[in-house]
Structure formats: C-alpha cells, structure tokens
Coordinates of all heavy atoms in Angstrom, one line a residue:
G29 N 7.3 -0.9 8.4 CA 8.0 -2.0 7.9 C 8.5 -1.9 6.4 O 9.2 -2.9 6.0
Y30 N 8.1 -0.9 5.7 CA 8.6 -0.7 4.3 C 10.0 -0.2 4.3 O 10.4 0.7 5.0 CB 7.7 0.2 3.6 CG 6.3 -0.3 3.3 CD1 5.3 -0.2 4.2 CD2 6.0 -1.0 2.1 CE1 4.0 -0.8 4.0 CE2 4.8 -1.5 1.8 CZ 3.8 -1.4 2.8 OH 2.6 -2.0 2.5
Q31 N 10.8 -0.9 3.5 CA 12.2 -0.5 3.3 C 12.3 0.4 2.1 O 12.1 0.0 1.0 CB 13.1 -1.8 3.1 CG 14.6 -1.4 3.0 CD 15.4 -2.7 2.8 OE1 14.9 -3.8 3.0 NE2 16.7 -2.5 2.5
I32 N 12.6 1.7 2.4 CA 12.7 2.7 1.4 C 14.1 3.4 1.5 O 14.5 3.9 2.5 CB 11.6 3.8 1.6 CG1 10.2 3.1 1.6 CG2 11.7 4.9 0.6 CD1 9.1 4.1 2.0
D33 N 14.8 3.2 0.4 CA 16.2 3.8 0.3 C 16.0 5.3 -0.2 O 15.1 5.7 -0.8 CB 17.0 3.0 -0.7 CG 18.5 3.3 -0.6 OD1 18.9 4.0 0.3 OD2 19.2 3.0 -1.6
S34 N 17.0 6.1 0.3 CA 17.0 7.5 -0.2 C 18.4 8.0 -0.3 O 19.4 7.5 0.4 CB 16.3 8.4 0.9 OG 16.9 8.3 2.1
A35 N 18.6 8.9 -1.3 CA 20.0 9.4 -1.5 C 19.8 10.8 -2.1 O 18.8 11.1 -2.9 CB 20.8 8.5 -2.5
P36 N 20.7 11.7 -1.8 CA 20.6 13.1 -2.3 C 20.7 13.1 -3.8 O 21.4 12.3 -4.5 CB 21.9 13.8 -1.7 CG 22.2 13.0 -0.5 CD 21.8 11.6 -0.8
N37 N 19.8 13.9 -4.4 CA 19.8 14.1 -5.9 C 19.2 12.9 -6.6 O 19.2 12.8 -7.8 CB 21.1 14.5 -6.5 CG 21.7 15.7 -5.8 OD1 20.9 16.7 -5.6 ND2 23.0 15.7 -5.6
R38 N 18.8 11.8 -5.9 CA 18.2 10.6 -6.5 C 16.8 10.4 -6.1 O 15.9 10.0 -6.9 CB 19.0 9.4 -6.1 CG 20.4 9.4 -6.7 CD 21.2 8.1 -6.4 NE 20.5 6.9 -6.8 CZ 20.1 6.0 -6.0 NH1 20.2 6.1 -4.7 NH2 19.5 4.9 -6.5
G39 N 16.5 10.7 -4.8 CA 15.1 10.5 -4.4 C 14.9 9.3 -3.6 O 15.9 8.7 -3.0
Y40 N 13.7 8.8 -3.5 CA 13.3 7.6 -2.7 C 13.0 6.4 -3.6 O 12.5 6.5 -4.7 CB 12.1 7.9 -1.9 CG 12.2 9.1 -1.0 CD1 11.7 10.4 -1.3 CD2 12.9 9.0 0.3 CE1 11.9 11.4 -0.4 CE2 13.0 10.0 1.2 CZ 12.5 11.3 0.8 OH 12.7 12.3 1.6
L41 N 13.5 5.3 -3.1 CA 13.3 4.0 -3.9 C 12.7 3.0 -3.0 O 13.3 2.7 -1.9 CB 14.6 3.5 -4.5 CG 14.6 2.2 -5.3 CD1 13.7 2.4 -6.5 CD2 15.9 1.8 -5.7
L42 N 11.6 2.3 -3.3 CA 11.0 1.2 -2.6 C 11.8 0.0 -2.8 O 11.9 -0.6 -3.9 CB 9.6 1.0 -3.0 CG 8.8 0.0 -2.3 CD1 8.6 0.3 -0.8 CD2 7.4 -0.2 -2.9
I43 N 12.4 -0.5 -1.7 CA 13.3 -1.7 -1.8 C 12.6 -3.0 -1.4 O 12.7 -4.0 -2.1 CB 14.5 -1.5 -0.8 CG1 15.3 -0.3 -1.2 CG2 15.4 -2.8 -0.9 CD1 15.9 -0.3 -2.6
D44 N 11.8 -2.9 -0.3 CA 11.1 -4.2 0.1 C 9.8 -3.8 0.8 O 9.7 -2.7 1.4 CB 12.0 -4.9 1.1 CG 11.6 -6.4 1.3 OD1 10.8 -6.9 0.5 OD2 11.9 -7.0 2.3
R45 N 8.9 -4.7 0.8 CA 7.5 -4.5 1.3 C 7.2 -5.6 2.3 O 7.4 -6.8 2.0 CB 6.5 -4.4 0.2 CG 6.7 -3.3 -0.8 CD 5.7 -3.4 -1.9 NE 6.1 -4.6 -2.8 CZ 5.3 -5.1 -3.7 NH1 4.0 -4.7 -3.8 NH2 5.7 -6.1 -4.4
P46 N 6.6 -5.2 3.5 CA 6.2 -6.2 4.4 C 4.8 -6.8 4.0 O 4.2 -6.3 3.0 CB 6.0 -5.4 5.7 CG 5.6 -4.0 5.3 CD 6.3 -3.8 4.0
D47 N 4.3 -7.8 4.7 CA 3.0 -8.4 4.4 C 1.9 -7.6 5.1 O 1.4 -8.0 6.1 CB 3.0 -9.9 4.8 CG 1.8 -10.6 4.4 OD1 1.1 -10.1 3.4 OD2 1.4 -11.6 4.9
R48 N 1.6 -6.5 4.5 CA 0.6 -5.6 5.1 C -0.4 -5.2 4.0 O -0.1 -5.2 2.8 CB 1.2 -4.3 5.7 CG 2.1 -4.6 6.9 CD 2.7 -3.3 7.5 NE 1.6 -2.4 7.9 CZ 1.2 -2.3 9.2 NH1 1.7 -3.2 10.1 NH2 0.2 -1.5 9.5
L49 N -1.6 -4.8 4.4 CA -2.6 -4.4 3.5 C -2.7 -2.8 3.6 O -3.2 -2.3 4.5 CB -3.9 -5.0 3.8 CG -4.0 -6.5 3.7 CD1 -5.3 -7.0 4.3 CD2 -3.8 -6.9 2.3
Y50 N -2.1 -2.2 2.6 CA -2.2 -0.7 2.4 C -2.9 -0.4 1.1 O -2.7 -1.0 0.1 CB -0.8 -0.1 2.4 CG -0.3 0.5 3.7 CD1 0.6 -0.2 4.5 CD2 -0.7 1.8 4.0 CE1 1.0 0.4 5.7 CE2 -0.3 2.3 5.2 CZ 0.6 1.7 6.0 OH 1.0 2.2 7.2
A51 N -3.8 0.6 1.2 CA -4.5 1.0 0.0 C -3.6 1.4 -1.1 O -3.9 1.2 -2.3 CB -5.4 2.2 0.3
G52 N -2.4 2.0 -0.8 CA -1.5 2.4 -1.8 C -0.9 1.2 -2.6 O -0.5 1.4 -3.8
E53 N -0.9 0.0 -2.1 CA -0.5 -1.2 -2.8 C -1.6 -1.8 -3.7 O -1.3 -2.6 -4.6 CB 0.0 -2.2 -1.8 CG 1.3 -1.9 -1.1 CD 2.1 -3.2 -0.9 OE1 2.4 -3.9 -1.9 OE2 2.5 -3.4 0.3
L54 N -2.8 -1.4 -3.4 CA -3.9 -2.0 -4.1 C -4.6 -1.2 -5.2 O -5.6 -1.6 -5.8 CB -5.0 -2.4 -3.0 CG -4.4 -3.2 -1.8 CD1 -5.6 -3.6 -0.9 CD2 -3.8 -4.5 -2.3
A55 N -4.1 0.0 -5.4 CA -4.7 0.9 -6.4 C -4.5 0.3 -7.8 O -3.6 -0.5 -8.1 CB -4.0 2.3 -6.3
G56 N -5.4 0.6 -8.6 CA -5.4 0.1 -10.0 C -6.4 0.9 -10.9 O -7.3 1.5 -10.4
D57 N -6.2 0.7 -12.2 CA -7.1 1.3 -13.2 C -8.3 0.4 -13.4 O -8.3 -0.4 -14.2 CB -6.4 1.6 -14.5 CG -7.3 2.4 -15.5 OD1 -8.3 2.9 -15.0 OD2 -6.9 2.4 -16.7
R58 N -9.4 0.5 -12.5 CA -10.5 -0.4 -12.6 C -11.8 0.4 -12.9 O -11.9 1.6 -12.8 CB -10.7 -1.0 -11.2 CG -9.4 -1.7 -10.7 CD -9.7 -2.5 -9.5 NE -8.4 -3.1 -9.0 CZ -7.7 -2.6 -8.0 NH1 -8.1 -1.5 -7.4 NH2 -6.5 -3.2 -7.7
T59 N -12.7 -0.4 -13.4 CA -14.0 0.2 -13.9 C -14.9 0.5 -12.7 O -15.5 1.5 -12.6 CB -14.8 -0.8 -14.8 OG1 -13.9 -1.1 -15.9 CG2 -16.1 -0.2 -15.3
C60 N -14.9 -0.4 -11.7 CA -15.8 -0.1 -10.5 C -15.2 -0.6 -9.2 O -14.9 0.2 -8.3 CB -17.2 -0.8 -10.8 SG -18.4 -0.7 -9.4
I61 N -15.1 -1.9 -9.1 CA -14.6 -2.5 -7.8 C -13.2 -2.1 -7.5 O -12.3 -2.3 -8.3 CB -14.8 -4.0 -7.8 CG1 -16.3 -4.4 -7.9 CG2 -14.1 -4.7 -6.6 CD1 -16.6 -5.9 -7.9
G62 N -13.0 -1.6 -6.3 CA -11.7 -1.2 -5.9 C -11.3 0.2 -6.3 O -10.1 0.6 -6.1
R63 N -12.2 1.0 -6.8 CA -11.8 2.4 -7.1 C -11.6 3.1 -5.8 O -10.8 4.1 -5.7 CB -12.9 3.1 -7.9 CG -13.0 2.6 -9.4 CD -14.0 3.4 -10.2 NE -15.3 3.2 -9.6 CZ -16.4 3.7 -10.1 NH1 -16.3 4.5 -11.2 NH2 -17.6 3.5 -9.6
Q64 N -12.3 2.7 -4.8 CA -12.2 3.2 -3.4 C -11.8 2.0 -2.5 O -12.5 1.0 -2.6 CB -13.4 3.9 -2.9 CG -13.7 5.2 -3.5 CD -14.9 5.9 -2.9 OE1 -16.0 5.4 -3.0 NE2 -14.7 7.1 -2.3
I65 N -10.8 2.2 -1.6 CA -10.3 1.1 -0.8 C -10.2 1.5 0.6 O -9.7 2.6 0.9 CB -9.0 0.5 -1.3 CG1 -9.1 0.0 -2.8 CG2 -8.5 -0.6 -0.4 CD1 -7.8 -0.3 -3.4
L66 N -10.8 0.7 1.5 CA -10.6 1.0 3.0 C -9.9 -0.2 3.6 O -10.4 -1.3 3.6 CB -12.1 1.1 3.6 CG -12.1 1.3 5.1 CD1 -11.4 2.6 5.5 CD2 -13.6 1.4 5.5
C67 N -8.7 0.1 4.2 CA -8.0 -1.0 4.8 C -8.0 -0.7 6.3 O -7.7 0.4 6.8 CB -6.5 -1.0 4.3 SG -6.3 -1.5 2.6
L68 N -8.4 -1.8 7.1 CA -8.6 -1.7 8.5 C -7.7 -2.6 9.2 O -7.4 -3.8 8.7 CB -10.0 -1.9 8.9 CG -11.1 -1.0 8.2 CD1 -12.5 -1.6 8.5 CD2 -11.0 0.4 8.6
E69 N -7.2 -2.3 10.4 CA -6.4 -3.2 11.2 C -7.4 -4.3 11.8 O -7.1 -5.5 11.7 CB -5.7 -2.5 12.4 CG -4.6 -1.6 11.9 CD -3.4 -2.4 11.4 OE1 -3.2 -3.6 11.9 OE2 -2.7 -2.0 10.5
T70 N -8.5 -3.9 12.4 CA -9.4 -4.8 13.0 C -10.8 -4.3 12.7 O -11.1 -3.2 12.8 CB -9.2 -4.9 14.5 OG1 -7.9 -5.3 14.8 CG2 -10.1 -5.9 15.2
V71 N -11.7 -5.3 12.5 CA -13.1 -5.0 12.3 C -13.9 -6.2 12.8 O -13.4 -7.3 12.8 CB -13.4 -4.7 10.8 CG1 -13.3 -6.0 10.0 CG2 -14.7 -4.0 10.6
D72 N -15.2 -6.0 13.1 CA -16.0 -7.1 13.5 C -16.1 -8.1 12.3 O -15.9 -9.3 12.4 CB -17.3 -6.7 14.1 CG -18.1 -5.8 13.2 OD1 -17.5 -5.3 12.2 OD2 -19.3 -5.5 13.5
S73 N -16.5 -7.5 11.2 CA -16.7 -8.3 9.9 C -16.6 -7.3 8.8 O -17.3 -6.3 8.9 CB -18.0 -9.0 10.0 OG -18.5 -9.4 8.7
T74 N -15.9 -7.7 7.8 CA -15.8 -6.8 6.6 C -17.2 -6.7 5.9 O -17.6 -5.6 5.4 CB -14.8 -7.2 5.6 OG1 -15.1 -8.6 5.2 CG2 -13.4 -7.2 6.1
N75 N -18.0 -7.7 6.0 CA -19.4 -7.6 5.5 C -20.2 -6.7 6.3 O -21.0 -5.9 5.7 CB -20.0 -9.0 5.4 CG -20.0 -9.6 4.0 OD1 -19.0 -9.4 3.3 ND2 -21.0 -10.4 3.7

C-alpha cells in the first residue's frame, strides 16, 4: 500500500504511506528501547 514514485535518472520517491506498522518507519537513533523492532501481523499478546 505504499505509494512510491519512480523515474529514470531520478530514482524512487516515497509519496504516501498507509496505516501500517513497518520496522522501517519506526527506526531511530535511540539509546536502548527500539534499537531492535519486531512487527507482527497477529500475535496472542505482545507481552
């Protein structure tokens, strides 16, 4: 569902994002929490 434009000699450009949980959207320069991220479609309980 991500809208990504592309053109020769220009490359790829992220235009729009759906309401999804992807690790690539959540990355950041953090000290501890969130240095590793696991995104699941379904789980019994995240805890």
Side-chain angles (χ1 to χ4, degrees):
Y30 287 87
Q31 185 179 345
I32 302 173
D33 193 13
S34 61
N37 302 319
R38 292 181 59 242
Y40 300 100
L41 177 65
L42 181 62
I43 302 297
D44 195 19
R45 298 172 288 161
D47 186 19
R48 295 180 63 92
L49 296 173
Y50 258 102
E53 289 218 51
L54 307 180
D57 184 16
R58 305 187 184 98
T59 303
C60 179
I61 292 180
R63 288 183 301 182
Q64 292 183 293
I65 300 170
L66 176 62
C67 293
L68 305 170
E69 287 292 328
T70 302
V71 71
D72 53 350
S73 160
T74 56
N75 259 36

